[in-house]
Amino acid sequence: MRGKLVVGNWKMNGGLRQNDALLADLRAGWMASPGRELAVCVPYPYLWQAQAALSGSAIAWGAQNVSEHAAGAFTGEVSAAMAAEFGCRYAVVGHSERRTLFGETDAAVAAKAVAALAAGLTPIVCVGETLREREAGATETVVLRQLDAVVAALGPRLSAAVVAYEPVWAIGTGRTASPAQAQDVHRLLRARLSAADVAAADVPLLYGGSVKADNAKALFGCPDIDGGLVGGASLKADEFLAIARA
Ligand code: PGA
């Protein structure tokens, strides 16, 4: 039985005071519940704060990116081992903002997933098509190309990853994929994962892109959707907790 995982992606938002309040509200509002997991992926400088606020709670935390390199002359980069030192369980890799704004290639994303696992983190590998790609009928080709790079790089470690389908046209736009649109892609991803490795058939598949309290239940009710990766709505404790309970 696959459980449900809801992960907040704060992106480049927050500040010490705001974070204190948000983390305290999440901690107070979330009870451990079997088969349900909640996590927040925060900016690097606040990993210590998430660790301090959430240690001993039922909420996990993680980074939004990691370097594909272990150490060395990579100014401005943060390694997976560094993130792990702050108690991270997760690292998002290949978010569409990283791919489009920072030029991350499929190969770089795959290398980041490998680096995360090597440091004991669970990579949350993001895939998703742009609006232009969807309209050109290229959704399947794009998401499978993105997934296959990670499948090839991880080999037998694939089953330890999480995959998030985030259609780029739905991120931060208020335009959510319909449950049927999301489920179609999730089914495809599930089939590809299980064909690559039977153990990967149960990899958690998260949907991301304008998930809100009022659409989460319908999305999470789909057979191949195991939770969500939530941006904007993860910055408000009540909304995020409502999504997590959906
Ligand atoms: P959104 O972002 O929920 O604000 O659309 C999702 C994401 O980018 O992970």
Side-chain angles (χ1 to χ4, degrees):
M1 261 298 275
R2 300 190 309 271
K4 186 167 295 170
L5 170 62
V6 172
V7 180
N9 171 14
W10 289 5
K11 310 194 179 185
M12 199 174 74
N13 292 296
L16 289 174
R17 281 171 55 140
Q18 279 162 265
N19 304 346
D20 263 343
L22 176 53
L23 292 166
D25 287 349
L26 293 178
R27 184 171 183 143
W30 182 249
M31 307 258 269
S33 89
R36 281 183 184 247
E37 202 193 335
L38 190 63
V40 288
C41 290
V42 307
Y44 294 133
Y46 303 132
L47 286 175
W48 67 270
Q49 192 182 17
Q51 183 176 33
L54 301 176
S55 286
S57 79
I59 306 175
W61 59 96
Q64 299 171 11
N65 178 33
V66 288
S67 172
E68 60 266 51
H69 304 289
F74 301 101
T75 301
E77 289 289 277
V78 171
S79 73
M82 293 172 186
E85 283 196 307
F86 290 87
C88 289
R89 183 174 305 164
Y90 296 103
V92 176
V93 299
H95 189 280
S96 69
E97 287 148 21
R98 302 290 324 168
R99 292 177 189 265
T100 57
L101 303 173
F102 301 97
E104 290 186 5
T105 61
D106 292 339
V109 173
K112 284 166 186 267
V114 170
L117 277 171
L121 306 181
T122 299
I124 301 174
V125 179
C126 301
V127 300
E129 81 288 1
T130 63
L131 185 58
R132 183 187 293 228
E133 288 162 342
R134 174 162 281 263
E135 285 172 347
T139 299
E140 293 194 5
T141 314
V142 170
V143 299
L144 291 179
R145 188 201 74 223
Q146 293 171 335
L147 184 68
D148 284 350
V150 174
V151 166
L154 291 188
R157 291 163 295 180
L158 181 62
S159 59
V162 170
V163 173
Y165 168 56
E166 297 205 306
V168 178
W169 47 273
I171 294 176
T173 57
R175 186 174 165 193
T176 318
S178 69
Q181 283 174 319
Q183 167 58 24
D184 278 351
V185 178
H186 280 236
R187 186 191 305 112
L188 180 79
L189 296 172
R190 175 96 54 215
R192 193 68 147 219
L193 287 165
S194 45
D197 179 356
V198 280
D202 287 334
V203 159
L205 291 183
L206 312 184
Y207 167 79
S210 300
V211 176
K212 303 278 185 275
D214 62 7
N215 59 28
K217 204 175 184 68
L219 287 160
F220 300 170
C222 296
D224 289 301
I225 300 183
D226 306 315
L229 182 56
V230 183
S234 72
L235 298 172
K236 288 173 246 138
D238 288 353
E239 178 87 7
F240 188 49
L241 288 167
I243 291 168
R245 294 186 190 113

